[in-house]
Amino acid sequence: MLSALAEAPDFSSAASFLLAQVLDLADAERGHMLRLDAAQESLVSVASVGYETPPRALIPIGDLSNPLVLSALALVPVTGGGRSSSRAFVSIARWTALPMPQARLRGTLPVMPLPHAQELLGEGEVRFLTAVERRLASAPGGVIVVEGAVPERVIGSVTTLVMLAGPIIARLASLQESRDSIDRLTQQRDRLTLMVDSLPDPVVITNATNDIIAQNSRAERLLNGKEGDSSGRRRAIELNNLLFTSFLAKAVMMGSPTSGPRELNLVDPDEGNDLLFEVLAHPLSERVGPDDAVLSVLRDVTDLRRAANELERQVQRVRLAEMKASSERDRLNLILENVADPILVTDERANIILMNDQAEQLFQASEIQQRSRRQIQAVRGNDTKFTSFISEFALLDTRARRERMALVHPANGNQLPIEVVSGKIMNERGEPIAIVSVLHDLTKEVEIERLYETLKTLNSELEERIRAATADLAEQNARLQWQSQEVERANRLKSEFLASMSHELRTPINALIGYSALLIDGVLGEINERQRDALRRGRAAAEHLLALINDILDLAKIEAGKMPLHLEEVELRDVVAEVSQQIEPMVRKKALEFVVDISTECPPLHTDRTKVRQVLLNLLSNAVKFTNRGRVAVVARCDDARDGVRIDVVDTGIGIREKDLQAIWEDFRQVDQSRTREFGGTGLGLSITRKLLDRLGGTVSVRSQYGEGSVFSVLLPQRTPHGASEEIAAARSG
Ligand code: ADP
């Protein structure tokens, strides 16, 4: 039976077989086997026979009140029934427990001495059966519980059978356990291998001489060549081994494998590209591997490093951009601070983000406690106006807006007309992110506009006045024109009258002069001295009248345009000689020095001889008339600069006052009445002289020092321009 037991294929069939044999011997129906489980320190059901539901007992070995425990520990059969059944954890009325020893080995429990067991069991329904001889080198191994009482006659042999079978069962059990554990371990190893192989990182275990003891499949791909590998792959694998070994050697040199270099460059044998690994090395404890074995996990950080490099580059770029932005911002601030106009930057909800000092003065209420109520009000008012403008603008579709606004200067409370120019700053999606506003001070413009308006009013008033004045003038002009026409008509009539009356006037006067001379000379009979004196006075008066009439007639002729020019070659010298002869008696009478100085280079003049003679006669007779001592001179000069001649009539006479220098040229003008009486004359000489020179295209002017003398200067052109005076006359009358 025992040899059959030993040949059982496994533990459970052996247990069932033994149990069946025991029941058969004991003539029992049901029974079950409990084994001592060292790990659980309990009696655990392992096999049963005859039960519908096999009992599942687990009895702690420390429970020394349990008779099954005592039976197992003391290696004594025990029988019980009734109430004790519950203590025995079997649902049977009567039972017998047969101890099942095992070989005493390391870790088995010692056998309990019988007296001690007896003491623990006490007196009762449960009792030890006749003790079978306990074998040496036996240890408690379990118990077989048989339902019912085993008959006295077989108890000995049944117990012996169980005692003998116990060690075999125990060995089979331990064999089974080993097998199970091998299965479990194999399963575990497979699982672990799968796990390690499925790791994306190469994992390698090396020994003290840096030989690879174990590696996962990823490591194999990098470090292990196979039959049929291409030469490229083989070379790459050789290189990798070299690199890895030298890495490990270096690590050893550095002391501990964990403190050495951490980065390892390998080559991908399939792709050929470089791979970068971070090596995490762990020394393995003795329990896991051989001495000095090191587990190296190679973390592929190629992508990580690439990403890190990329990140570093990005960071660098961001830093650069930041630096640029900050310098941009500094520059912007500098610009903002140096612009004379207030500048504000607001977000799209009209909150001020940025402003320069000028804007702060208008909108900033930071030192508000130091400000007066008026200032606070001004700042708030400005802010309200500006904010509502910006809010409106933010809603509009336009990019820029310009508007006039009346702000108040908080510092002095003055009105501040401004123009706001705002522009939106868009992001790349075309949404406004900020609004920049520049405020132009319009005080000057407004003042200029006001002045311009005033000026416009004044201007229109002035225009109105000018219009009125012009109308007035036009009226006056018309009147004057009419008057001038009348005057001219009267003048012409007068001149015509005089011209035609010359004969009528001169004939009677000549008769008077002639008859007076005859009477004075005594041709018509003797007269006394008183009569002669009266006649002389009469004759002088008549002569004066004649001279006056002659002058008036000359003037009238000139004015009436009845004095035609007779142009010819005239030697100035000749004309001067003629005139000198004429005035010679007067010069002599006054005992004056008379000088004629005519430049020899003067060419003959092309002019009207009679008129030149009359001009010189008028000037010379005046010079002699108004000079009582000294000299009278005629000086004529022709030089190249001037086309013509200059004739100066110089005297050392009474001279002319400064204030009279204009008046002497007027008709009938004699500047000093008392003097006139002394010197005689008509007051027409100079007027006629000027008019004659006009006709000849010349001019006359005077310089004089009162009381010292005068110089009358005549300028005559070398050729009298044809029609000169007509043009002049025409220009005058026009
Ligand atoms: P009159 O016939 O009175 O000389 P004129 O027209 O010739 O008239 O001169 C006007 C006035 O100019 C003279 O009355 C005189 O007062 C002043 N006058 C002219 N020539 C001279 C002169 N050479 N010296 C001083 N006074 C002169």
Side-chain angles (χ1 to χ4, degrees), residues 315-329:
V315 166
Q316 210 62 30
R317 213 174 300 148
V318 167
R319 201 163 297 148
L320 266 177
E322 242 172 36
M323 261 158 64
K324 213 171 125 193
S326 108
S327 85
E328 286 277 302
R329 201 181 46 230

Side-chain angles (χ1 to χ4, degrees), residues 622-623 625-626 651 654-656 664 669-671 680-686 710 712:
N622 273 354
K625 188 158 69 179
F626 296 108
D651 66 55
I654 58 170
I656 306 161
I664 56 173
R669 191 53 172 257
Q670 295 172 306
V671 293
T682 60
L684 283 171
L686 288 179
S710 314
F712 283 82

Side-chain angles (χ1 to χ4, degrees), residues 551 618-627 649 651 653-656 663-666 668-672 675-676 679-689 704 709-712:
D551 279 354
N618 282 353
L619 294 178
L620 267 174
S621 59
N622 273 354
V624 173
K625 188 158 69 179
F626 296 108
T627 306
V649 177
D651 66 55
I654 58 170
I656 306 161
I664 56 173
W665 304 101
E666 290 169 15
F668 301 107
R669 191 53 172 257
Q670 295 172 306
V671 293
D672 188 339
R675 290 282 174 117
T676 313
F679 296 111
T682 60
L684 283 171
L686 288 179
S687 169
I688 290 170
T689 299
S704 184
S710 314
V711 180
F712 283 82

Side-chain angles (χ1 to χ4, degrees), residues 251-480:
V252 170
M253 270 179 351
M254 301 291 289
S256 99
T258 47
S259 63
R262 314 209 61 191
E263 282 188 353
L264 171 63
N265 269 305
L266 295 181
V267 180
D268 189 329
D270 299 321
E271 310 284 332
N273 44 353
D274 282 346
L275 297 172
L276 182 70
F277 292 97
E278 188 184 12
V279 182
L280 306 173
H282 304 278
L284 293 178
S285 66
E286 242 171 273
R287 220 161 60 81
V288 185
D291 268 359
D292 294 334
V294 173
L295 172 83
S296 301
V297 178
L298 280 63
R299 284 185 51 217
D300 187 343
V301 291
T302 316
D303 290 344
L304 206 67
R305 173 55 54 94
R306 209 173 291 141
N309 286 346
E310 184 56 32
L311 208 65
E312 178 65 23
R313 252 205 309 284
Q314 293 281 10
V315 166
Q316 210 62 30
R317 213 174 300 148
V318 167
R319 201 163 297 148
L320 266 177
E322 242 172 36
M323 261 158 64
K324 213 171 125 193
S326 108
S327 85
E328 286 277 302
R329 201 181 46 230
D330 289 350
R331 229 177 43 204
L332 189 69
N333 278 343
L334 196 71
I335 293 170
L336 278 183
E337 292 312 321
N338 283 294
V339 170
D341 287 334
I343 297 181
L344 296 102
V345 181
T346 43
D347 64 13
E348 72 287 355
R349 284 189 300 284
N351 300 315
I352 296 171
I353 309 169
L354 198 67
M355 59 180 155
N356 63 356
D357 287 349
Q358 283 75 3
E360 272 177 20
Q361 287 173 13
L362 295 174
F363 296 100
Q364 186 71 278
S366 63
E367 297 148 20
I368 206 143
Q369 53 272 62
Q370 288 155 31
R371 292 183 171 214
S372 68
R373 250 173 76 88
R374 193 199 64 200
Q375 284 173 317
I376 296 166
Q377 260 172 8
V379 166
R380 288 204 183 129
N382 290 348
D383 194 56
T384 310
K385 280 181 195 167
F386 182 71
T387 307
S388 67
F389 165 75
I390 292 293
S391 311
E392 254 174 56
F393 173 44
L395 295 176
L396 295 180
D397 242 1
T398 49
R399 297 281 297 259
R401 198 178 184 198
R402 182 186 289 265
E403 194 171 291
R404 281 193 173 200
M405 202 179 280
L407 300 183
V408 174
H409 212 293
N412 51 22
N414 287 349
Q415 285 290 327
L416 184 69
I418 55 138
E419 184 185 49
V420 188
V421 182
S422 292
K424 286 178 187 163
I425 298 178
M426 305 296 200
N427 62 12
E428 58 275 22
R429 289 191 301 282
E431 298 156 349
I433 47 168
I435 295 172
V436 178
S437 307
V438 182
L439 278 57
H440 299 301
D441 184 347
L442 291 183
T443 313
K444 269 192 204 137
E445 278 85 342
V446 168
E447 181 60 18
I448 287 170
E449 273 169 22
R450 197 185 61 76
L451 286 175
Y452 176 71
E453 281 308 316
T454 320
L455 204 66
K456 232 164 69 177
T457 331
L458 283 176
N459 210 26
S460 65
E461 274 174 29
L462 198 67
E463 258 174 31
E464 190 45 47
R465 263 188 237 168
I466 287 173
R467 236 193 318 275
T470 311
D472 214 34
L473 270 178
E475 197 181 313
Q476 279 184 19
N477 216 20
R479 206 161 46 231
L480 276 175

